[in-house]
Amino acid sequence: MTATNLEEQVLSQPSSATVLPASRARPAPRPRSADWPATQARRDTTWARLTRPPFAPGPSSRHRPGAHHRGLGQLLDWLEDQPGQTWQDRWLATGVDTAGKSWREIPRSWLREHGVAADWHHEAFFRALWLTIAADVIRPAVSMLVVADIRRGALTTVMTRYRDTDGLTRLRTLCSADPGLAPAKATRISYRAAQILAAKGGVLADITPGDVLELLDAEADAHGTGIGATHTFYRMLHTLDVFSDQAPATLRELRNTGQRSPEELIDRYGLVCRPIRDLLVNYLRERQPALDYSSLATLANILGNLFWADLERHHPGIDSLHLPAEIADAWKQRLRTVTRTRRTREGGTAETTVTTTVARVNYRECLTPVRAFYLDLAHWAVEDPARWGPWVAPCPVGREEVNRTKDKRHRKSRMDARTRARLPVLPILVRTVNQWRHDAAALLEEARRTPPGHTFTAAGHTLVRVAPPRSAATKIWAEDPATGQRRDLGREEDYAFWAFATVEVLRATGVRVEELTELSHHSLVQYRLPTTGELVPLLQIAPSKTDTERLLVVSPELADVLSAVIQRVRGTAGAIPLLAGYDVRECVWLSPMPLLFQRRIGSEDRAITPAVIREILDAALARTGLTDPATGEPLRFTPHDFRRVFITDAVLNGLPPHIAQVVAGHRDINVTMGYKAVYPDEAIQAHLAFLARRRSLRPSEEYRVPTEEEWAEFLGHFEKRKVSIGTCGRAFSTPCIHEHACVRCSMLWPDPVQRDRLVEIRDNLVARIIEAKREGWLGEVEGLQISLAGANDKLAQINKSANPGRVVNLGIPTFIPDGTETGDLS
């Protein structure tokens, strides 16, 4: 196969970067009707319908016909006692829809007022109410059904028997056929479907995605969180072809409405000044064609949140881009810091929240868009003065404030230090996740063979198998008899395996986390070498940051890891399930692909997201016990740390930088070298190599081993350097130019301790000069004066080292009319 054929083969593979259309419109639920035939019927018509089959109790029913008639009569009497033209109008007038969990007290109070106090009469009344709802005479609100505390079996039974027997039976059968779906979740799914039919009317086939979202939102409002099986509920309805062909396959796709418009991006920050809000929206719309969505969202956050929303919080009523100097300076000062909140636990105490203020690392990156905003307005005002001219104002951010040269050096230094701290401990992390994987698998396998209530031992742990609750019947639970802690062994094994796979793939490829989550079965391709015919496995990396595909050679170790991943995610049919990945940066769903990084959550398969990857890495690092040497806190690895470690390790081990650039997928080799950390050992080795090269250019006899005589002469030179008034500094094997007249020699380093001796020598020289002049020894005078000058120079050196000279004021230069420069040098 030639290189051209390889390229054609790679390009012919389905790419995970094929983007599905994302709609911003949230599907609306069916409107709640106020008028339909069954609710318009008169009392006699409704009575006749509900007292005949199938609503009347049959011979095999445990409810007596008399009780059914009595309860139905009381229900219709209660509704007729309310104002309204239809049964639905009267139902709304009772106030039951808005009464919350105490809704039963409203009809009970009416019954007691009308002489019906027995509880069994009340039960007959409520059984008649469920029949009336199943007969579509009244339709309670979704919010009321969520908080009404109705027995699931009662509502589901009557809706199955009287409203949609075929649809609800098929739904229950589908849930029962799923081995990963616990019975409690299957019951909850049927109950949710019954609630939607009760509130909206119709049958199961009439349910829309908007109805599902309305019910789930009502549950979240009532309970503060999801109550389980929400994704499975949507998936089951989708599997039954309840929804149209255009409906998303999963609830996550339905809830995520795609990219936001410029208006929505800005309106998240609640800006008060409407003209500035409109200006920012128009500016984003003007920049939108040249930016990807991630950059557009970042720009909206800086301009709308960090810039203008911050100004409005601290200066209410501000409405102009012309900022006074004090306001601009205060804003930039606030921008320099950011508040961080972290949770900590010390000494076994309860978890506490610690809030700290730290310097903003990307301070200058936040200033740059603001400066660009002001300069763009000034530039665009030249072309369209009517639209942009009124907003032109002096820029509060100067050119030097956005100079990032020093910040880039600091960032490079921080990243190098981070890489140097993590590269040596990477083998520890690899061993830890591998051991964790084997231990977790052994525990899970042994627990599966152990009946509930019995003790088992595996991987050095002794645990007791615990019978799971009905809502988690498919899980494997165990309890530590020493601590009483319960452990979900299936979840632990899942985390352990994906921690192992994540660490191995990241350290072997250096891919970005987005590229990791988009790896699919189609990413594995083969290339046959034209010379030897050998098959080389390659890993195709889909375009992410640089929009450029690339191919990586799969090592045998990486091939083993990918094989284990493929074997794990294969379905019962032997094929990898097709899942739609989500691009968290561009906020779009990708086309369904056989993704490698997917896992089973409950009864459905889900793609592993970058957030889950980071969570798994944190769990793996916690097991190593490693700490950050700079802070002493637990060491953290981000997915991008593996990329820096990979590039650094590859270049240090001889991979040419331009090849590392291609492997990493960088457009500029300087970016690749920026990822590579510089080690002190590397600088030492380079210096030693330089010395070796320089030594090779000098005569070889200079580097021979010295003889004993030469070595003794060398040591003797240093022994003879010490003299009475200091130390001689002449080089080895050089003669004394002053014939040992050390006071005269400029190579003498005077010893401050010998200052008194030098003063004595100076005074003696002065006395001898006086004597020589008196006796007429003029030749002696000249030599003595040279020695005296040397002695005074040595004393001056000692005085200077003991008492540094005073500071001299050089003055400020002034200019005289003829252009010459003068100054006060006093």
Side-chain angles (χ1 to χ4, degrees):
M1 181 183 294
T2 64
T4 303
N5 292 336
L6 172 64
E7 183 179 359
E8 292 174 355
Q9 178 183 354
V10 172
L11 295 179
S12 66
Q13 297 288 346
S15 173
S16 63
T18 304
V19 178
L20 293 178
S23 172
R24 278 296 305 150
R26 176 187 171 97
R30 287 177 290 165
R32 187 184 183 189
S33 300
D35 200 5
W36 61 93
T39 196
Q40 293 176 346
R42 296 180 303 178
R43 177 180 179 127
D44 55 351
T45 304
T46 302
W47 174 270
R49 181 185 172 206
L50 296 181
T51 54
R52 291 198 300 262
F55 298 101
S60 60
S61 175
R62 63 186 180 91
H63 303 300
R64 294 175 298 174
H68 169 68
H69 291 178
R70 187 181 302 106
L72 179 60
Q74 293 168 353
L75 172 65
L76 297 180
D77 290 342
W78 173 57
L79 290 176
E80 281 191 326
D81 198 29
Q82 313 298 327
Q85 300 298 320
T86 64
W87 297 113
Q88 181 68 11
D89 292 340
R90 298 169 187 134
W91 168 262
L92 295 177
T94 63
V96 171
D97 271 355
T98 58
K101 293 184 178 181
S102 60
W103 69 275
R104 293 175 184 265
E105 290 302 317
I106 295 177
R108 280 175 176 167
S109 298
W110 186 90
L111 289 173
R112 286 192 291 266
E113 290 175 0
H114 290 76
V116 183
D119 289 341
W120 67 273
H121 282 299
H122 294 182
E123 290 302 319
F125 174 90
F126 288 115
R127 284 197 300 270
L129 176 61
W130 310 145
L131 289 177
T132 306
I133 293 175
D136 203 20
V137 175
I138 57 176
R139 296 177 182 176
V142 173
S143 58
M144 177 267 179
L145 292 171
V146 168
V147 301
D149 195 21
I150 303 173
R151 287 191 303 111
R152 295 175 183 172
L155 183 62
T156 305
T157 299
V158 296
M159 298 303 290
T160 303
R161 183 179 300 170
Y162 305 121
R163 176 70 67 85
D164 187 8
T165 303
D166 179 64
L168 292 175
T169 301
R170 288 194 301 119
L171 178 62
R172 187 166 54 251
T173 302
L174 180 63
C175 293
S176 301
D178 191 335
L181 192 62
K185 291 184 178 181
T187 302
R188 186 176 293 125
I189 290 172
S190 299
Y191 179 60
R192 282 192 175 118
Q195 286 177 307
I196 294 178
L197 298 187
K200 298 295 183 179
V203 295
L204 194 70
D206 297 325
I207 295 178
T208 67
D211 295 340
V212 175
L213 288 182
E214 183 184 25
L215 175 64
L216 298 181
D217 290 344
E219 288 181 353
D221 292 340
H223 305 292
T225 183
I227 58 175
T230 54
H231 293 269
T232 309
F233 173 52
Y234 181 87
R235 179 171 59 86
M236 290 298 177
L237 295 181
H238 193 279
T239 304
L240 288 176
D241 294 328
V242 171
F243 306 132
S244 64
D245 296 337
Q246 289 75 28
T250 64
L251 182 62
R252 291 180 66 238
E253 296 179 52
L254 180 67
R255 280 176 164 168
N256 190 292
T257 50
Q259 298 179 354
R260 300 174 184 266
S261 65
E263 291 86 351
E264 292 169 319
L265 289 173
I266 292 297
D267 288 342
R268 291 182 299 175
Y269 309 117
L271 303 186
V272 177
C273 182
R274 190 71 183 183
I276 296 295
R277 176 265 179 196
D278 294 340
L279 172 65
L280 294 178
V281 169
N282 291 332
Y283 179 76
L284 291 182
R285 192 179 291 116
E286 198 76 16
R287 294 287 310 275
Q288 189 173 12
L291 300 176
D292 56 41
Y293 180 74
S294 177
S295 301
L296 185 70
T298 301
L299 181 61
N301 177 57
I302 293 175
L303 295 180
N305 182 27
L306 299 182
F307 176 55
W308 194 254
D310 179 83
L311 289 175
E312 287 189 341
R313 282 194 299 269
H314 292 86
H315 306 281
I318 188 171
D319 60 357
S320 173
L321 292 178
H322 196 298
L323 304 180
E326 59 275 11
I327 292 180
D329 291 342
W331 165 71
K332 285 183 280 190
Q333 190 63 33
R334 292 191 299 270
L335 189 64
R336 288 183 177 274
T337 59
V338 61
T339 301
R340 297 284 174 82
T341 301
R342 61 183 180 90
R343 295 178 178 177
T344 182
R345 188 189 302 271
E346 297 181 359
T349 59
E351 190 175 65
T352 58
T353 300
V354 178
T355 302
T356 58
T357 300
V358 297
R360 188 185 296 273
V361 177
N362 61 337
Y363 166 68
R364 295 185 188 275
E365 285 87 340
C366 296
L367 290 179
T368 300
V370 176
R371 177 174 172 81
F373 171 61
Y374 275 83
L375 297 184
D376 284 341
L377 293 180
H379 178 71
W380 296 346
V382 177
E383 301 175 355
D384 191 353
R387 182 182 182 187
W388 306 108
W391 301 106
V392 175
C395 181
V397 181
R399 176 181 298 179
E400 290 303 318
E401 292 181 283
V402 297
N403 189 337
R404 297 173 52 198
T405 303
K406 181 182 290 187
D407 286 349
K408 288 181 178 179
R409 290 198 298 267
H410 289 173
R411 182 179 182 275
K412 169 66 174 170
S413 177
R414 290 196 307 271
M415 293 302 101
D416 286 355
R418 187 179 179 94
T419 302
R420 285 193 291 267
R422 282 154 181 77
L423 183 56
V425 301
L426 183 58
I428 300 177
L429 176 60
V430 173
R431 289 196 301 268
T432 300
V433 296
N434 194 38
Q435 186 64 41
W436 185 20
R437 170 201 176 196
H438 290 298
D439 291 350
L443 279 171
L444 181 61
E445 184 63 28
E446 190 65 28
R448 283 174 174 161
R449 295 195 294 261
T450 304
H454 290 70
T455 302
F456 64 94
T457 302
H461 295 269
T462 299
L463 304 175
V464 179
R465 175 75 187 276
V466 178
R470 182 171 178 267
S471 60
T474 60
K475 294 186 176 182
I476 306 295
W477 289 87
E479 184 177 289
D480 190 337
T483 62
Q485 178 186 7
R486 286 199 172 188
R487 297 167 60 178
D488 184 351
L489 298 184
R491 184 176 184 272
E492 288 185 9
E493 192 276 337
D494 186 67
Y495 255 55
F497 177 84
W498 288 115
F500 159 78
T502 298
V503 170
E504 290 293 338
V505 175
L506 287 177
R507 80 181 185 97
T509 61
V511 296
R512 303 177 180 92
V513 65
E514 298 86 0
E515 297 168 342
L516 176 74
T517 56
E518 292 176 9
L519 289 178
S520 71
H521 204 185
H522 297 306
S523 300
L524 297 172
V525 297
Q526 293 180 342
Y527 173 60
R528 188 180 299 276
L529 294 176
T531 54
T532 62
E534 178 186 358
L535 282 177
V536 179
L538 300 176
L539 190 64
Q540 177 191 359
I541 305 301
S544 67
K545 187 174 181 179
T546 58
D547 294 332
T548 303
E549 287 188 330
R550 64 187 190 277
L551 296 171
L552 303 180
V553 177
V554 177
S555 64
E557 295 81 5
L558 179 59
D560 289 341
V561 176
L562 295 178
S563 176
V565 170
I566 293 173
Q567 183 178 0
R568 184 181 182 88
V569 300
R570 285 186 190 274
T572 55
I576 297 179
L578 298 180
L579 295 179
Y582 181 67
D583 190 332
V584 294
R585 295 184 178 273
E586 294 300 315
C587 295
V588 293
W589 287 95
L590 309 177
S591 58
M593 293 288 291
L595 298 176
L596 297 183
F597 277 75
Q598 59 173 279
R599 59 177 184 156
R600 193 80 170 172
I601 302 294
S603 60
E604 65 179 359
D605 298 302
R606 294 189 194 175
I608 297 179
T609 63
V612 174
I613 291 292
R614 296 183 180 92
E615 182 181 337
I616 289 174
L617 287 178
D618 289 343
L621 263 298
R623 298 183 68 87
T624 64
L626 295 172
T627 57
D628 192 328
T631 62
E633 297 181 353
L635 187 67
R636 292 189 68 250
F637 262 86
T638 66
H640 220 68
D641 286 329
F642 288 93
R643 184 169 173 82
R644 296 189 181 93
V645 167
F646 172 80
I647 295 174
T648 299
D649 187 56
V651 175
L652 288 179
N653 284 280
L655 185 68
H658 66 285
I659 302 298
Q661 173 193 354
V662 177
V663 172
H666 290 148
R667 291 179 179 175
D668 188 356
I669 194 172
N670 292 321
V671 177
T672 305
M673 298 309 295
Y675 274 65
K676 173 185 168 293
V678 178
Y679 277 77
D681 177 69
E682 187 179 4
I684 293 172
Q685 296 299 329
H687 189 203
L688 292 177
F690 164 74
L691 294 178
R693 289 193 302 270
R694 188 180 67 173
R695 183 173 296 175
S696 65
L697 299 178
R698 298 183 64 85
S700 59
E701 59 269 14
E702 295 185 4
Y703 300 102
R704 62 180 173 82
V705 178
T707 64
E708 292 184 3
E709 293 77 9
E710 290 173 335
W711 186 247
E713 182 184 357
F714 177 74
L715 295 179
H717 163 78
F718 291 99
E719 293 175 356
K720 297 174 182 178
R721 291 177 64 176
K722 185 65 176 176
V723 295
S724 62
I725 56 176
T727 303
C728 179
R730 74 179 189 274
F732 172 72
S733 191
T734 57
C736 179
I737 60 175
H738 291 107
E739 299 179 354
H740 304 286
C742 298
V743 173
R744 301 180 177 185
C745 185
S746 59
M747 299 301 295
L748 175 68
W749 298 340
D751 187 357
V753 178
Q754 302 298 329
R755 186 181 186 280
D756 293 340
R757 186 178 184 84
L758 273 173
V759 171
E760 197 176 313
I761 293 174
R762 182 199 62 186
D763 294 343
N764 180 264
L765 287 172
V766 171
R768 290 179 61 188
I769 290 174
I770 295 173
E771 179 185 7
K773 289 182 178 180
R774 184 178 64 247
E775 299 295 336
W777 302 333
L778 299 183
E780 187 77 11
V781 171
E782 183 177 359
L784 291 173
Q785 286 179 339
I786 294 175
S787 298
L788 179 62
N792 287 330
D793 180 64
K794 300 301 180 288
L795 283 172
Q797 292 181 32
I798 292 176
N799 293 336
K800 184 176 181 180
S801 62
N803 183 22
R806 64 183 181 88
V807 177
V808 177
N809 181 14
L810 299 180
I812 300 177
T814 59
F815 294 91
I816 58 178
D818 61 358
T820 59
E821 183 178 347
T822 63
D824 181 10
L825 302 180
S826 59

